[in-house]
Amino acid sequence: MNKIIQYAAKIVEGEAASILLSDKEKRELYFKASLGKKSQEIRKYKIKVGQGIAGWVAEKGKSLIIDDVTRDNRWNKDFDDAVKYNTKSIICVPLILEKEIVGVMEVINKKNKRRFDKNDEEILNSFANQVVIALWNANIIKDLNNYFINIIEILIQAMENESLAPKGHFVRMARLATQIGSKLGVTGKDYENLYYASLLHDIGKIKVKKKVDINFKAENNLHLVQDEVSIHPIVSANMLKQINLFKDIIPIVRHHHEHYDGTGCPNGLRGEKIPLGSRIIAVVEDYTKIFYNKKVEDSSKNEQALNKLFSLAGTKYDPKVITALKEIIDMKGVNI
């Protein structure tokens, strides 16, 4: 949005510009983007809908062009005094999304002592439409993210209901996996994918446990697919394929039972050819099993788990993943 007001101010030759969005519950406007000498200072202020020029436009849904604000009784001088700014002229247009006023866009002080005109209003309305499109897209993304999270919560609940793990296990496991990921430089979208894959990597066990529709077509290079351990990653991946939002985590889920030396399943991938997320989940999954072994004393759980993992470093596990886990344990411990 900063780019939009930057171009808008440049084209209509304004000294400053702002986009204010509406908080419907509080009935006030807040600064979403701003340009000009006081752009940072004004962001802490809110404007009541109906008050001032911006508030009037937000309430009425009509554009305003004012050549001299001191002659307009809607102008709120207190705001200028607060930020030590001298507003002379203003053009302000509403932001309307699906017939609802969601904010305003304003440009202040036409340069070279000229006046804002109807042509400027048309231009600013065009930019306002771009803002509305951006807001609409943001709402879609927000809705999709909420939908995504709701699906994950439902699937986790289903796994816990099937007693695949104690309540909260998959969330705790995902947190540890992402801690290790951070140690290994995983960021951004890859970090999110690791988190979600850690939550859902065992979803296929629901079908395997119930022996429901677990047949899958023969695939090239399937390796040692012969029992529940080797089948469920494929079933998990196939289940997640049905939801496009999960497409980026499918490789991580599918390969979380590959071994670092190439003896794992389902494809016998080796070393760095195994997705890093899969290698992390493999370590975290087996590490957590120690914590559910009631025969192991609490005081020695970390030591026994790490000894077991290090004994298989380079064969079953990626050594650097185990090292990252050990560093986390040494720093602050782990509560699974």
Side-chain angles (χ1 to χ4, degrees):
M1 290 191 187
N2 284 321
K3 284 287 186 185
I4 294 175
I5 59 170
Q6 182 180 349
Y7 289 128
K10 184 176 182 179
I11 291 174
V12 302
E13 299 180 347
E15 187 179 278
S18 301
I19 293 172
L20 297 94
L21 299 183
S22 176
D23 183 327
K24 289 190 293 185
E25 291 184 2
K26 296 181 179 179
R27 281 189 55 79
E28 62 185 18
L29 300 169
Y30 63 93
F31 287 89
K32 181 65 176 178
S34 54
L35 174 74
K37 293 179 180 179
K38 301 292 182 177
S39 61
Q40 295 303 314
E41 293 177 44
I42 64 174
R43 292 198 176 206
K44 63 184 179 182
Y45 292 97
K46 305 289 191 297
I47 297 173
K48 290 291 183 183
V49 172
Q51 293 182 1
I53 293 168
W56 186 92
V57 172
E59 183 178 55
K60 304 297 184 182
K62 297 179 181 179
S63 301
L64 278 179
I65 298 175
I66 300 174
D67 296 327
D68 183 353
V69 295
T70 62
R71 294 176 177 271
D72 193 294
N73 58 15
R74 289 165 293 198
W75 179 54
N76 185 357
K77 185 176 181 295
D78 293 340
F79 187 77
D80 267 23
D81 291 342
V83 297
K84 295 180 172 59
Y85 189 76
N86 184 20
T87 300
K88 300 170 185 175
S89 60
I90 186 170
I91 179 171
C92 187
V93 300
L95 303 175
I96 301 175
L97 176 60
E98 296 180 341
K99 299 182 179 181
E100 180 182 353
I101 302 167
V102 295
V104 302
M105 185 175 183
E106 62 182 14
V107 178
I108 296 171
N109 293 350
K110 183 85 167 179
K111 293 180 179 178
N112 301 320
K113 297 182 179 180
R114 295 165 60 195
R115 295 182 175 184
F116 292 116
D117 55 27
K118 284 293 182 182
N119 185 51
D120 293 326
E121 182 182 337
E122 289 181 11
I123 292 171
L124 200 58
N125 273 316
S126 295
F127 280 107
N129 288 336
Q130 295 301 311
V131 173
V132 169
I133 290 170
L135 291 172
W136 186 70
N137 288 337
N139 285 339
I140 289 176
I141 292 171
K142 183 179 179 181
D143 288 343
L144 284 174
N145 285 339
N146 289 338
Y147 174 64
F148 186 58
I149 291 168
N150 287 339
I151 290 175
I152 289 173
E153 289 175 348
I154 291 168
L155 294 175
I156 291 173
Q157 184 67 54
M159 288 190 287
E160 291 178 348
N161 287 345
E162 290 297 327
S163 301
L164 298 185
K167 185 174 178 61
H169 162 71
F170 294 106
V171 172
R172 290 191 293 270
M173 186 175 162
R175 287 173 182 163
L176 179 55
T178 49
Q179 283 182 283
I180 294 173
S182 292
K183 278 275 184 187
L184 298 176
V186 177
T187 59
K189 186 64 176 175
D190 291 334
Y191 182 94
E192 291 181 20
N193 290 339
L194 173 58
Y195 183 78
Y196 294 131
S198 301
L199 290 174
L200 300 174
H201 67 282
D202 276 345
I203 188 66
K205 284 186 176 180
I206 295 175
K207 280 192 172 184
V208 174
K209 183 178 179 182
K210 292 179 175 291
K211 296 181 170 57
V212 176
D213 189 27
I214 61 172
N215 294 323
F216 44 85
K217 295 179 180 178
E219 302 178 51
N220 293 331
N221 198 31
L222 282 183
H223 186 71
L224 297 177
V225 178
Q226 57 190 10
D227 55 23
E228 180 177 325
V229 171
S230 52
I231 289 173
H232 86 265
I234 303 173
V235 178
S236 296
N238 287 345
M239 288 174 68
L240 296 174
K241 278 181 184 177
Q242 310 306 313
I243 303 173
N244 191 52
L245 290 169
F246 294 136
K247 67 180 187 303
D248 292 334
I249 71 172
I250 290 171
I252 302 174
V253 170
R254 179 184 173 88
H255 297 294
H256 76 273
H257 274 287
E258 303 283 3
H259 292 177
Y260 199 68
D261 63 0
T263 61
C265 59
N267 294 99
L269 300 184
R270 179 190 298 269
E272 301 293 317
K273 290 186 178 180
I274 305 169
L276 177 57
S278 305
R279 286 177 267 148
I280 292 172
I281 291 174
V283 168
V284 173
E285 187 171 50
D286 285 357
Y287 172 77
T288 57
K289 287 177 182 176
I290 301 295
F291 284 81
Y292 298 131
N293 186 347
K294 295 180 180 179
K295 296 178 181 179
V296 179
E297 294 292 333
D298 287 347
S299 59
S300 62
K301 282 183 177 181
N302 275 328
E303 183 181 354
Q304 288 199 31
L306 287 172
N307 287 341
K308 177 68 173 177
L309 295 175
F310 273 116
S311 72
L312 296 172
T315 53
K316 187 174 183 180
Y317 309 113
D318 181 346
K320 67 174 178 285
V321 175
I322 306 172
T323 300
L325 172 61
K326 184 178 185 303
E327 289 175 0
I328 292 169
I329 292 171
D330 289 344
M331 276 197 309
K332 53 187 176 183
V334 176
N335 181 23
I336 298 296

